[in-house]
Structures are given as C-alpha cells and as structure tokens.
C-alpha cells in the first residue's frame, strides 16, 4: 500500500501532466500521499434538504431540490451580463439563482424542467431568496444520504482560473479514496490507539475527507492531530535522549570562593524567589554528570543576566572558563558593562571579543583564553571562529538564542573536550505548548517574578491626530532629564517606502524638537555608524532615538522613560512587548505609547487592547500564539520550527501536545536506544518521516 501512496499524482484519473504541474506548483502535491494528506479546511452538511419557504438571508450553506422555470438575462455593460434562473421546489415558492460570471455556460448546461439539487449560501435580493453562483448537480446523480458532510479545500486564484476549484479537488480526493481499496498502513501501535481510544489511521484518513457527521469528523481530526504531534515530540525526545547518553557533562561539584564571595559582598539586591529557584535548578544540572541544556525564560528586566553570571561563577569555582554569546555588538558590550559592574573589586578577568576587536588586543584575548587567564568571555558570533580556542570551556550562555542557528551553537560545543553546560536565555516569553515543541529537548526554567521596586510600564493607545499633545508630553519628560525612543515600522529592512518614511519622519521630528539632539538608527546603516548612533543615546548625548525594530533586543538605557511606537498596528504582539521592554529599566515611571490611525482590523484592536491591559509577557505570548499561529511568532522560523504541521494547531491543541509528549516520553524511557521490537512501527515511521521534505531536524 505504501507503494501506491508514492505514485506520481499525474497518474490519478482526472489529473494528467498539466493538472499535476498546477497541483505541484500551487499546493506542493506530488504524490497520492500528498493529496490524501491535503486536508479540507471545513465541511458543510449535505445530508439535509431545505424547502424554499424555510430559507432566510442569515443561513449558512443550504441545498434545495427542484427545477428551473426560466432564465432571464440582464445587460450590465457592453461585454458583461447577469444571468438569473427562476427556480422552484414545487411548493409554489420561487427563488433566484444568479451568475455574474459564467451565465452563458449555465444557460447551456442546465435544462429547464429538469430536477437539480442546488447548493449555496442564501441571501435576500429584491424581497426574494437568491443564491449567487450555486453548485448544481442533476438530482438523480446525487445520493444525499451518502454525501454526509461535504469537504472544502483551499485553492489558489491561479487554480480557480484553470478550473481547479475546491469542488475539483474534492472529486480528485474521492477518486483517490476509490483507488485506495486496501486498508491504509497503521503508524501507531495498538497499545497507543486503544489506550487513547483513537480511530485507525485508515478510517481517519478517509473520514477526514468524507465524514458522515460532525462527531465522526472530530474523531478523525483528533487521531490525525495526535499522530502529527506525537511524532514531532518523539523526534525531539529521541534527540535529547541521544545527546544525554552520548555526552557526559563536566561535574561541577563545589560552590566556592567566587560564588560565595559574590553572594556575600557584591550582590546588588536580594534575589527574588524565582531567581533562587532557577539557580538551584541550574546547580543541580551542573552537578549531575550530564551535560546541561537549559532554556531560561524571563520577561524583560526579570534578572536573567544575574542568574547567568552566578551560574558562570560556579564554573569558575570548579576551574573552568565561561562564555556568554550575544547577537549584537551593542548587546555584547552591555553584557560586559553589566558583568564588570557586578564583579567590581573581584579578581576575575573578563574580556570582550567582537568583530571590531582587532590587532594586539585581540591577540592578547586569544592567548588569555588559551592559557586560561581569561575566565569569562563576552562576545558575538566572533566567539565561534576557529581561531578562538579555550583552555577549559565549561559553561556557555547563549542570549536571545533565536538569533543563533543550531550549527553556530554546535561550534561552541566543539571548543571543549566535553560539551560545556549550555544555558539558553530568551526575553521573548514562549507559551508552554510552543516551548514543548520549539525547545522540547531543553529543560525549561522560568523567572516569573520581577525584582522589587520595578514600576510596570504604563501603556496607552492614541490616534495619530493626537500627536501634537504627545509631543508636548515628550518635551515634558525630556525637561525632567529623561530620554525617548520613537519607533517607525520598518518591519522588513528591504522596504524602501518604510525607509523613506523613517528618513522623512526623522527630518520632521528634528523640526518638531529643535531644542533637542536626535539619533537615528535602522538596519540599512553600516554597522559602525549604527553602533555610533546607538552609543550616543546610551551615553546621554542625544535625547531622542528615532529607530526601527533594530532596537527591539538588548538596548539598556535606564534613563529612557518613553517608548513611542508609530503605526503600531503593523507590529506583532511579541514585537510590541519587546519594544516596550526597552523602557521601565530605571526607578522612574515609564510609558509606552501605541499610535495608530482610526481604522483598525478586529485582530489589531485585540493586540492593542492586550498591550494596554497587561505587562505579563507570558499572557501576551499566549495571546500572540492564538492570534497569529506558531509559524509567524518571533524567532520560530530561525529556531528550526520549519516543519509544517498539516492539521494540528499548537495554539489550540495544547492538550493534545501534552498528551503526545507524555506518550512519547513513555516510549523513550522504555527504549532509549530505539531497538525494542515492540516499538518497531514507531521507529520505522519516524525514519520514513525524516526522509520527507519536512524539516525534522533538531529543534535547538
């Protein structure tokens, strides 16, 4: 049966070479299996007939059995006409069927007096029920009781123009299911399907296209969603299990003078309970003998860097070096300044390695790493270059990890005899169900508490006509000694119109605020120019930073108290939250102002409302996932979540994600080396899936 599923789609009756090209180009359908797994996006109940007297303009799709009484043609323009068929069900009541396109074809195809079943969405026009562009089938050819619920498939405009609409795809799917006479092979063992009361795969793949009722459809969906999520989780957990068995971690058995001295003399403020809990989790990992791979989630300002530094000090206490890798030079420099301030008066050598560190200084750092005298290295991508070698690298912190690929992080591992312990940090809160999928091979720690004394940022939504009063408020803040960000929506750095808007906006703002100094930053600038402008703002030489989202991550200016986001409707929730996180870093009350026009889509209103209601990054991330789906979330494409879920939805199927993970964990615990014959079907299916064009590569 697997052989027939791999058949080229052109050999399915009704396809042929030209339709094969269209299906391939537009939907990625190349084989019988691809069409079988091209699932309908909705179903409409075709088991019931309505009388014309029952219809009204608020109903969804309906079907009526009857015959055409007559056709009428109305001229719309020199080359366009509207064709109306007057249709009755024999009750004495009449409805209209209307074609704005294809009317000529309708008059030729449908015979007056012949019985048809009309299917479509009713509306009321001139006091009479009307169905525009209906589906019509001869009544004798349509066995309604057998149709159950009719599937609807997404198709492109190009396909529709070529005559390949949803109905055409439905006919091809029906043909395919008739061709597949034998039972489709199972991909889950009985002990899972029976335990979870799941349909067989054969039944699910048939019923997902042609269910008899809503209950059957739901059971088919649950089976196929579970299977999809189960194999994602099995792949992640198998990889994590392999890593743990393959790589022994350095055992950091003691907490010594560096950690204790810092805790006693240098800790700037008491740790929150959340920070203490996370340090205990990290400490346990580092002493376990297995390599740590831990994701540290924490909202902006929650104190992740302090936790990372204290963890690095444990590595130093055990005679090892530590390294922190950041995505940008300015963020690396800020980490260096933060760490140096924390370690004041402690005899620890910290060095910075970025692309701009060259010549003699660079050579000194490389020698210090090699002889072990540089104990903590802070850097960017420059850290993973082949020339950078460590004496004993034992602990690595990767900040804003979605900016780094898998291969880049693996290069850091190879700089040590055993892979170092890895702490991955992100200030982009990730909903639990997404974390289980994106970072399923990492243990997760969460700092869900802000240090005492932090004031929540006050977020307000204003319309663009209120800009003059906003400018007055900005002046007031600057006169109090504060600084201000004004962000333009250059989402893609290639959008020339946006860049022009920013340039023009910058000139306008210079005229609005002639008494203040402004910096300007965007992604098209040369790195050195961008860093210089950013540094002016960091040092307080300029009062207003006009920028794009390049400032989204890592700019730490405690004196900045206002974040103005222009055209806020063009930003995602996660991005808005990250931008807001640039303010509220000092003791003063800070403000985030979201500026939009009056006309807003429903989803946009929801985003803006959520931003104004809460500062809780996890709540925002959950809402973002529900509004946009996982593929659009910040960082998910870079993180390796390029596998394409055909039917499951991580935002809405959280319970199934958890169920799939639980079952996958049971399998891995029982058969960590994937050799138990009892699980043969699972390992074979996973191997087959990994051969497909879906990216089943490691997630992190």
């Amino acid at each position: 049966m697997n052989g027939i599923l791999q058949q080229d789609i052109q050999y399915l009756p009704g396809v042929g070479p030209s339709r094969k090209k269209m299906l391939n180009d537009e939907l990625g359908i190349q084989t019988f299996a691809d069409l079988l797994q091209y699932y309908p996006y909705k179903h409409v109940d075709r088991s019931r007939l309505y009388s014309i007297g029952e219809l009204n303009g608020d109903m969804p799709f309906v079907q009526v059995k009857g015959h055409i009484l007559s056709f009428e043609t109305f001229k719309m323009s020199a080359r366009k006409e509207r064709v109306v068929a007057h249709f009755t069900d024999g009750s004495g009541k009449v409805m209209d069927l209307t074609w704005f396109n294809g009317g000529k074809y309708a008059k030729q195809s449908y015979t007056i007096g012949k019985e048809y079943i009309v299917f479509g969405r009713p509306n009321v026009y001139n006091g009479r029920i009307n169905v525009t562009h209906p589906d019509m089938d001869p009544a004798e050819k349509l066995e309604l009781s057998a149709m159950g619920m009719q599937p609807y498939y997404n198709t492109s405009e190009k396909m529709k123009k070529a005559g390949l609409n949803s109905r055409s795809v439905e006919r091809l799917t029906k043909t395919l299911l008739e061709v597949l006479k034998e039972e489709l092979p199972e991909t889950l063992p009985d002990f899972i399907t029976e335990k979870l009361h799941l349909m067989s795969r054969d039944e699910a793949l048939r019923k997902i296209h042609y269910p008899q009722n809503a209950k059957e459809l739901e059971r088919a969906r649950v089976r196929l969603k579970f299977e999809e999520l189960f194999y994602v989780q099995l792949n992640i957990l198998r990889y994590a299990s392999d890593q743990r068995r393959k790589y022994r971690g350095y055992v950091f058995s003691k907490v010594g003078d560096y950690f204790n001295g810092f805790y006693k003399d240098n800790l700037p403020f008491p740790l929150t309970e959340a920070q203490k809990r996370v340090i205990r989790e990290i400490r346990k990992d580092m002493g376990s003998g297995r390599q740590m791979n831990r994701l540290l989630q924490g909202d902006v300002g929650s104190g992740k860097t302090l936790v990372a530094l204290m963890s690095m000090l444990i590595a130093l206490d055990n005679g090892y070096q530590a390294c922190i890798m950041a995505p940008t030079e300015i963020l690396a420099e800020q980490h260096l300044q933060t760490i140096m301030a924390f370690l004041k008066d402690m005899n620890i050598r910290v060095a910075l390695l970025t692309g701009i560190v060259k010549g003699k200084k660079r050579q000194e750092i490389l020698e210090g790493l090699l002889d072990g005298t540089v104990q903590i290295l802070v850097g960017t991508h420059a850290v993973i270059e082949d020339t950078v070698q460590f004496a004993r690298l034992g602990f690595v912190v990767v900040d804003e990890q979605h900016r780094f690929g898998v291969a880049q992080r693996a290069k850091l591992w190879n700089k040590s005899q055993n892979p170092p312990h890895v702490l991955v940090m992100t200030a982009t809160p990730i909903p639990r169900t997404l974390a289980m999928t994106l970072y399923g091979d990492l243990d997760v720690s969460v700092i869900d508490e802000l240090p005492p004394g932090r004031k929540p940022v006050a977020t307000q939504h204003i319309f663009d006509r209120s800009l003059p009063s906003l400018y007055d408020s900005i002046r007031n803040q600057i006169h109090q000694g504060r600084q201000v960000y004004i962000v333009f929506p250059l989402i893609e750095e290639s959008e020339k119109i946006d860049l022009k808007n920013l340039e023009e906006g910058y000139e306008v703002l210079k005229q609005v605020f002639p008494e203040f100094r402004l910096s300007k930053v965007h992604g098209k600038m040369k790195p050195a120019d961008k860093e210089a402008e950013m540094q002016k703002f960091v040092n307080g030489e300029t009062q207003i930073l006009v920028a794009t989202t390049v400032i989204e991550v890592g700019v730490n200016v405690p004196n900045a108290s206002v974040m103005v986001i222009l055209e806020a409707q063009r930003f995602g929730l996660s991005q808005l939250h990250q931008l807001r996180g640039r303010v509220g870093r000092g003791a003063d009350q800070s403000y985030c102002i979201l500026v939009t026009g009056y006309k807003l889509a429903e989803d946009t209103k929801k985003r803006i409302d959520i931003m104004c209601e809460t500062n809780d990054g996890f709540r925002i991330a959950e809402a973002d996932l529900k509004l946009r789906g996982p593929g659009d979330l910040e960082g998910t494409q870079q993180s390796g979540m390029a596998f394409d879920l055909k039917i499951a939805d991580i935002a809405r199927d959280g319970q199934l994600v958890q169920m799939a993970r639980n079952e996958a964990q049971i399998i891995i615990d029982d058969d960590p080396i994937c050799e138990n014959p009892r699980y043969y079907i699972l390992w074979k299916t996973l191997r087959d899936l990994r051969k497909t064009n879906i990216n089943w590569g490691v997630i992190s």
Side-chain angles (χ1 to χ4, degrees):
M1 179 53 84
N2 265 336
I4 194 170
L5 286 173
Q6 296 317 310
Q7 277 259 39
D8 192 314
I9 194 67
Q10 79 168 313
Y11 299 117
L12 182 71
V15 179
S18 63
R19 276 190 159 187
K20 169 204 167 159
K21 186 174 188 314
M22 182 72 71
L23 287 167
N24 192 352
D25 291 351
E26 298 299 300
L27 304 179
I29 293 173
Q30 298 181 41
T31 65
F32 285 12
D34 292 337
L35 178 60
L36 188 63
Q37 293 178 81
Y38 189 68
Y39 301 125
Y41 70 92
K42 72 172 182 181
H43 291 77
V44 173
D45 189 351
R46 292 295 305 265
S47 61
R48 184 180 166 193
L49 281 171
Y50 288 82
S51 67
I52 294 173
E54 291 178 277
L55 304 184
N56 63 62
D58 298 324
M59 297 173 80
F61 289 91
V62 296
Q63 54 194 0
V64 180
K65 187 177 183 180
H67 61 273
I68 295 170
L69 295 168
S70 62
F71 283 102
E72 255 188 294
T73 302
F74 300 89
K75 238 2 183 188
M76 292 171 67
S77 66
R79 303 180 66 181
K80 264 199 149 185
E81 60 182 27
R82 171 169 60 97
V83 173
V84 177
H86 305 299
F87 187 88
T88 182
D89 59 1
S91 66
K93 293 192 181 290
V94 177
M95 62 189 273
D96 289 340
L97 312 176
T98 303
W99 290 268
F100 293 98
N101 297 307
K104 192 175 176 186
Y105 172 82
K107 283 193 289 187
Q108 290 170 353
S109 303
Y110 304 127
T111 308
I112 291 172
K114 185 175 178 179
E115 202 162 46
Y116 292 98
I117 289 172
V118 167
F119 178 74
R121 191 190 292 275
N123 57 72
V124 178
Y125 180 70
N126 282 342
R128 187 183 275 187
I129 293 293
N130 180 74
V131 175
T132 306
H133 294 136
D135 279 348
M136 291 181 67
D137 294 280
E140 77 272 9
K141 289 187 179 177
L142 209 58
E143 193 185 328
L144 292 176
S145 60
M147 280 196 74
M149 300 182 76
Q150 184 180 4
Y152 276 71
Y153 300 85
N154 279 315
T155 55
S156 67
E157 284 305 312
K158 197 171 176 185
M159 290 175 71
K160 285 169 190 159
K161 283 177 185 168
L164 253 178
N165 57 13
S166 170
R167 198 75 188 273
S168 310
V169 175
E170 181 202 333
R171 290 189 187 108
L172 294 177
T173 308
K174 197 166 191 178
T175 302
L176 174 62
L177 290 171
E178 286 164 1
V179 167
L180 301 173
K181 291 184 169 59
E182 291 177 40
E183 189 172 325
L184 295 162
E186 187 50 82
T187 50
L188 294 174
D190 292 347
F191 62 82
I192 289 181
T193 54
E194 287 170 13
K195 174 183 172 184
L196 302 177
H197 307 291
L198 298 173
M199 259 185 185
S200 72
R201 184 166 180 264
D202 177 79
E203 192 180 4
L205 283 168
R206 294 177 192 275
K207 299 296 187 192
I208 195 71
H209 295 283
Y210 292 103
Q212 285 300 303
N213 50 54
K215 190 176 178 185
E216 220 172 55
L217 173 62
E218 184 55 25
R219 286 198 64 214
R221 277 183 179 148
V222 166
R223 158 64 210 238
L224 295 171
K225 285 179 178 188
F226 173 83
E227 178 180 331
E228 199 167 55
L229 294 166
F230 171 78
Y231 278 106
V232 169
Q233 293 298 332
L234 189 66
N235 185 56
I236 291 165
L237 293 172
R238 177 204 57 81
Y239 169 75
S241 173
D242 282 356
Q243 293 298 103
R244 288 188 184 113
R245 280 184 300 103
K246 225 180 273 181
Y247 300 114
R248 298 285 304 158
Y250 293 119
V251 178
F252 294 165
S253 56
K254 67 175 182 179
V255 174
D257 293 341
Y258 286 125
F259 184 95
N260 290 328
F262 177 83
Y263 193 87
K264 182 169 167 280
D265 300 323
N266 284 48
L267 196 63
F269 41 75
L271 297 174
T272 62
E273 288 306 313
Q275 286 174 310
K276 288 177 187 173
R277 183 187 70 243
V278 170
I279 290 171
R280 283 196 297 271
E281 289 167 352
I282 293 169
R283 171 83 187 92
K284 187 178 175 186
D285 281 354
M286 293 195 298
S288 69
R290 69 177 181 87
Q291 186 219 7
M292 178 179 83
N293 270 301
R294 187 166 283 280
L295 171 69
L296 176 55
Q297 288 195 69
D299 223 335
V300 173
S302 60
K304 295 184 300 296
T305 307
L306 180 58
V307 166
L309 174 61
M310 293 176 76
S311 304
M312 289 193 277
L313 292 177
I314 296 173
L316 268 59
D317 276 331
N318 286 271
Y320 288 85
Q321 294 160 293
C323 165
I324 180 165
M325 189 162 77
T328 65
E329 290 187 353
I330 193 157
L331 185 52
E333 284 170 13
Q334 287 183 354
H335 275 313
L336 179 76
Q337 288 164 13
T338 303
I339 288 169
M340 296 290 274
F342 278 144
L343 297 179
K344 189 182 174 191
D345 298 329
M346 290 185 73
N347 186 24
I348 294 174
R349 186 179 173 194
V350 184
L352 175 72
L353 190 65
T354 66
I356 56 174
V357 178
K358 301 198 184 297
K360 189 179 175 188
K361 192 173 181 185
R362 186 182 188 87
Q363 195 53 42
E364 283 174 6
I365 292 168
L366 294 180
E367 287 169 7
L369 290 170
L370 208 49
D371 65 22
T373 54
V374 171
Q375 293 157 287
I376 295 176
L377 181 68
V378 182
T380 55
H381 294 79
V383 168
I384 59 178
E385 290 171 10
D386 292 339
T387 52
V388 181
Q389 297 295 325
F390 293 80
R392 298 185 86 197
L393 180 62
F395 194 89
V396 171
V397 179
V398 182
D399 193 19
E400 287 306 330
Q401 76 82 37
H402 64 263
R403 305 294 172 108
F404 296 101
V406 178
Q408 290 169 316
R409 293 197 298 278
K411 281 190 174 182
L412 267 176
W413 287 26
N414 297 331
K415 293 183 183 293
S416 194
Q417 189 178 355
N418 283 346
H421 294 295
V422 177
L423 183 67
V424 166
M425 298 199 303
T426 179
T428 308
I430 303 153
R432 196 165 148 277
T433 52
L434 190 57
M436 273 193 277
T437 309
L438 279 181
Y439 309 113
D441 61 322
L442 302 181
D443 298 310
V444 180
S445 288
V446 178
I447 302 180
D448 49 9
E449 188 182 354
L450 288 178
R454 278 288 179 105
K455 291 179 184 169
V457 177
T459 304
Q460 298 166 15
H461 172 215
I462 68 165
F463 296 112
D464 41 23
R465 65 167 59 170
S466 303
L467 281 173
S469 62
L470 173 63
Y471 294 153
D472 288 340
S473 302
I474 287 172
R475 274 192 195 87
N476 186 34
Q477 285 287 310
I478 297 174
H479 285 313
Q480 290 177 44
R482 313 279 171 257
Q483 289 167 279
V484 177
Y485 297 100
I486 298 179
V487 176
F488 280 78
L490 179 49
I491 310 295
E492 298 291 335
E493 293 296 355
S494 58
E495 288 182 17
K496 288 179 183 173
I497 294 168
D498 279 350
L499 197 55
K500 189 180 171 199
N501 288 346
L502 179 132
E503 299 284 3
E504 288 173 358
Y506 176 70
E507 293 305 320
V508 168
L509 288 167
K510 280 205 299 189
Q511 290 169 26
V512 171
F513 299 111
E515 69 271 44
F516 303 130
R517 292 185 300 279
L518 283 69
S519 288
K520 177 180 65 178
V521 174
H522 59 78
K524 284 287 182 188
M525 293 168 72
K526 289 177 183 171
D529 294 342
K530 188 165 63 179
E531 297 290 334
E533 285 292 295
M534 209 85 108
Q535 209 59 55
K536 281 183 196 171
F537 188 69
V538 171
N539 297 339
E541 295 168 38
T542 53
Q543 288 83 42
I544 298 173
L545 177 60
V546 180
T548 63
T549 54
V550 291
I551 59 149
E552 179 188 341
V553 170
V555 183
N556 183 23
V557 184
N559 194 44
S561 65
V562 181
M563 166 64 69
V564 176
I565 304 173
L566 300 173
E567 292 187 57
Q569 74 276 7
R570 293 182 56 191
F571 296 82
L573 260 178
S574 176
Q575 216 167 22
L576 289 172
H577 182 62
Q578 282 290 324
L579 287 167
R580 176 168 62 184
R582 298 307 104 213
V583 295
R585 291 168 165 256
D588 301 297
Q589 178 63 59
S590 290
Y591 304 89
C592 176
I593 313 298
L594 308 175
V595 184
T596 71
Y598 274 95
K599 285 187 179 177
L600 294 176
E602 200 54 44
D603 273 5
T604 308
K605 283 179 190 158
K606 283 181 189 169
R607 281 206 304 274
I608 302 287
D609 288 347
I610 289 161
M611 283 295 294
C612 294
E613 282 166 23
T614 183
N615 280 276
D616 182 340
F618 287 94
R619 197 179 145 204
I620 286 166
E622 288 285 357
D624 204 17
L625 183 59
K626 285 190 174 126
L627 283 170
R628 297 207 288 159
D632 292 328
L633 281 192
E634 183 65 23
T636 57
Q637 294 306 321
Q638 300 96 313
S639 305
M641 192 182 163
F643 54 80
D644 177 25
L645 295 175
K646 292 177 186 295
I647 190 167
D649 180 331
I650 290 170
R652 293 171 181 84
D653 297 325
Q655 210 173 343
L656 278 175
V657 174
Q658 186 64 64
M659 194 189 296
R661 187 171 182 84
N662 292 346
E663 293 304 317
Q665 190 65 63
I666 290 167
I667 306 298
I668 294 293
D669 289 346
D670 194 42
D671 185 21
I673 55 174
C674 313
E675 284 183 356
N676 189 329
R678 184 173 188 236
Y679 305 125
Y680 171 77
I681 189 174
L682 299 178
W683 304 129
K684 180 186 180 302
T685 304
L686 191 58
R687 278 196 303 275
D688 291 344
L689 284 167
R690 290 174 70 87
K691 289 174 194 165
T692 66
N693 59 358
I694 297 170
N695 179 1
W696 283 78
V698 298
I699 304 301
S700 66

